């Protein structure tokens, strides 16, 4: 007598239907069966889990309840042409669906006709949730972009930086050789200002190819309050000009692991953005509140500090929100914004082992929350 279990023979095996059904019910992928009119006749538990509709809510409806509006009629026409074409007999591709809660979910969908003998009795669809895959893809794309910018930046810094330094030096000589406030001196001064603008841009670009992540142990503890006080000083002229008040709500004992330069750059960028956003909002409404609050508090996790930079500015529209950390994304006029501020901030925060999030109410304001590590 052998102890081995007998091999499962599904063909003609009495319980095979039940076994297949159990497989489908236990599957991690969403499966659905419709009749020939496209009405849902069966959905498995994974289908309900992914799409949020219970079996009862789904049965009798058509898969149109999942349409997100992301695809046009031509897309579906082509899908059905392939399914109904006996030489192809199926369709497979990426579709953006919508859950019962209205959330978009990208899936890899396969649809094929379901036959019994040579009679078509309906259609079956299998959908694989590829949300995570899409996120990873987007991250890779972003990293790729940053890497090419880094490469471009180091090339630029070298090829353009050197002649720029020469131009600036000669302009300084010219300025010095003219009586001050003469047209010649003013012109030379303009050259210097413009050269500095270019240099600043190149330096911003260079940050991408720069230092990389600092070793967590290597970062010294810094007083957050004094870093932010310096930022306040640096931003003072811009604040004054825009008539914006800045309130620091930071405990003087609060320490973060970081490094002066990086921390300053992070918060200066956020404060300048906030000033711009407030200026934009108040250009439409003179009575608009003009306040920035920078508040720090210990997070629930013991070794993390959350620093919020909250403004009463224009806010960020839902379409723009996912794009603000992309290099070169800007809504500002040429010369005013390059769209490198936030990507640099995100990189610096990452180098310090922290993260950054944003919440925004269009028309009311935005809050950028930077989470930094503090000495344990
Ligand atoms: N506090 C804010 N309120 C409203 N919109 C903001 C805020 N911060 C950033 N944004 C939006 O995000 C975009 C990108 O910001 P980012 O700092 O990366 O670039 P920029 O400010 O346009 O240019 P740069 O910082 O390079 O001078 C801005 O153009 C703006 O549309
Ligand atoms: Mg900016």
């Amino acid at each position: 007598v052998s102890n081995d279990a007998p091999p499962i023979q599904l063909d003609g095996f009495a319980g095979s239907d039940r076994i297949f059904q159990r497989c489908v019910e236990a599957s991690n992928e969403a499966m659905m069966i419709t009749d020939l009119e496209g009405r849902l006749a069966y959905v498995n538990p994974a289908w309900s889990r992914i799409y949020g509709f219970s079996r009862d809510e789904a049965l009798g409806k058509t898969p149109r309840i999942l349409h997100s509006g992301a695809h046009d009629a031509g897309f579906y026409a082509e899908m059905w042409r392939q399914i109904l074409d006996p030489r192809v007999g199926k369709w497979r591709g990426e579709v953006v669906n919508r859950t019962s809660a209205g959330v978009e979910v990208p899936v890899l969908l396969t649809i094929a006709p379901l036959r019994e003998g040579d009679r078509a009795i309906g259609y079956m669809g299998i959908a694989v949730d590829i949300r995570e895959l899409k996120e990873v893809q987007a991250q890779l794309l972003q990293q790729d972009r940053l890497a090419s910018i880094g490469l471009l930046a180091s090339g630029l810094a070298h090829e353009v930086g050197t002649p720029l330094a020469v131009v600036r030096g000669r302009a300084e000589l010219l300025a010095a050789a003219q009586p001050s406030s003469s047209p010649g001196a003013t012109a030379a001064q303009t050259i210097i200002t413009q050269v500095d603008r270019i240099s600043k841009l190149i330096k911003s670009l260079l940050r991408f190819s720069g230092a990389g992540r600092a070793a967590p142990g290597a970062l010294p503890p810094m007083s957050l309050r004094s870093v932010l006080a310096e930022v306040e000083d640096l931003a003072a002229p811009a604040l004054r000009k825009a008539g914006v008040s800045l309130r620091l709500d930071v405990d003087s004992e609060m320490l973060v692991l970081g490094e002066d330069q990086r921390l300053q750059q992070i918060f200066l960028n956020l404060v300048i953005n906030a000033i711009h956003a407030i200026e934009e909002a108040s250009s439409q409404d003179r009575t608009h509140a003009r306040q920035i609050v920078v508040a720090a508090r210990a997070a629930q996790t013991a070794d993390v500090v959350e620093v919020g930079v909250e403004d009463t500015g224009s806010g960020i529209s839902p379409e723009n929100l996912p794009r603000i950390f992309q290099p070169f994304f800007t809504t500002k006029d040429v010369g005013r914004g390059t769209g490198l501020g936030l990507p640099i901030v995100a990189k610096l925060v990452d180098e310090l082992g922290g993260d950054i999030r944003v919440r925004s109410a269009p028309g009311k304001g935005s809050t950028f929350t930077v989470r930094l590590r503090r000495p344990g």
Side-chain angles (χ1 to χ4, degrees):
V1 183
S2 152
N3 277 333
D4 289 345
I8 299 179
Q9 281 172 346
L10 291 173
D11 238 9
F13 177 60
S16 64
D17 281 358
R18 247 188 22 247
I19 292 181
F20 279 129
Q21 181 167 358
R22 255 183 262 152
C23 286
V24 169
E25 298 263 322
S27 161
N28 202 34
E29 320 313 344
M31 299 192 195
M32 57 189 153
I33 298 174
T34 74
D35 63 17
L36 284 171
E37 266 82 62
R39 284 184 300 255
L40 288 163
Y42 171 80
V43 297
N44 71 346
W47 190 95
S48 292
R49 211 160 50 232
I50 292 175
Y51 292 124
F53 292 104
S54 71
R55 186 168 298 197
D56 286 345
E57 286 168 324
L59 298 191
K61 309 250 172 54
T62 77
R64 267 193 293 277
I65 56 174
L66 307 179
H67 280 198
S68 62
H71 311 285
D72 59 11
F75 177 86
Y76 290 106
E78 174 57 22
M79 175 193 280
W80 282 103
R81 195 192 61 71
Q82 290 189 26
I83 296 168
L84 298 175
D85 180 344
R87 281 163 312 176
V88 188
K90 65 173 188 315
W91 184 88
R92 186 160 188 265
E94 282 182 26
V95 175
V96 178
N97 282 152
R98 200 201 313 256
T99 69
S100 66
V103 179
E104 293 197 342
V105 42
V107 296
L108 180 62
L109 180 64
T110 306
I111 305 180
L114 203 60
R115 281 179 224 289
E116 202 153 56
D118 17 307
R119 201 167 53 96
I121 56 167
Y123 302 95
M124 66 110 162
I126 302 177
V128 182
D129 183 348
I130 51 172
R131 259 177 288 202
E132 272 178 30
L133 189 71
K134 285 276 156 196
E135 264 164 40
V136 172
Q137 267 178 4
Q139 275 170 15
L140 283 177
L141 198 71
Q142 174 78 354
Q143 276 170 14
D144 224 42
R145 236 186 247 140
L146 288 182
S148 1
I149 291 174
L151 219 62
L152 182 81
S154 21
L156 254 185
H158 190 246
E159 296 296 321
V160 180
T162 318
L164 269 186
V166 176
V167 171
R168 196 185 193 284
R170 296 294 190 277
E172 267 173 356
L173 283 180
L174 283 177
Q178 316 277 325
S180 57
S181 79
S182 69
T186 319
Q189 200 50 56
T190 308
I191 295 175
I192 293 171
T193 318
Q194 298 300 315
V195 166
D196 285 348
R197 232 173 87 184
I198 302 172
S199 306
K200 202 174 138 218
L201 175 63
I202 294 179
K203 274 209 201 83
S204 306
L205 283 165
L206 261 180
R207 292 237 51 131
F208 287 108
S209 48
R213 213 181 165 119
L219 293 168
M222 309 271 318
S223 155
L224 186 59
R225 169 87 163 258
S226 53
V227 167
L228 293 173
E230 278 170 62
V231 169
E232 190 178 17
D233 282 349
L234 290 168
L239 287 164
R240 217 174 305 121
K241 200 166 146 236
V244 173
S245 73
L246 182 120
R247 187 156 64 83
L248 286 187
D249 184 0
V250 183
D251 194 13
S252 58
E253 259 101 76
M254 186 78 87
L255 296 177
V256 293
L257 292 178
E259 171 253 323
D260 229 359
Q261 279 261 321
R262 284 194 177 106
L263 289 167
Q264 259 182 34
Q265 249 219 318
I266 290 168
F267 291 105
L268 188 60
N269 261 300
L270 294 178
V271 168
I272 299 289
N273 277 352
I275 296 173
H276 284 168
I278 293 172
E279 280 182 318
E280 193 194 323
S282 41
S283 70
Q284 276 137 37
D285 167 17
R286 305 224 133 260
T287 63
H288 195 92
R290 298 167 183 233
Q291 202 192 32
I292 301 172
V293 180
V294 182
R297 60 180 190 88
Q300 251 114 7
T301 341
D303 53 354
V304 172
V305 180
E306 285 182 357
V307 191
V309 179
E310 183 182 351
D311 66 57
T312 54
S314 53
I316 304 162
S317 72
E319 308 91 81
N320 287 347
L321 204 58
R323 304 173 60 194
I324 57 171
F325 289 101
Q326 287 175 6
F328 300 116
F329 174 79
T330 180
T331 55
K332 295 170 193 171
D333 294 337
V334 181
R336 185 149 207 222
T338 50
L340 282 174
L342 286 178
I344 290 173
V345 166
K347 183 160 192 281
L348 293 173
V349 171
D350 184 59
E351 284 168 10
L352 296 179
D355 59 33
I356 179 166
R357 302 161 199 202
V358 54
R359 255 182 324 127
S360 186
K364 294 215 176 71
S366 315
T367 305
F368 285 79
T369 306
V370 180
R371 289 169 11 115
L372 296 167
R373 293 170 328 107
R374 63 183 175 134

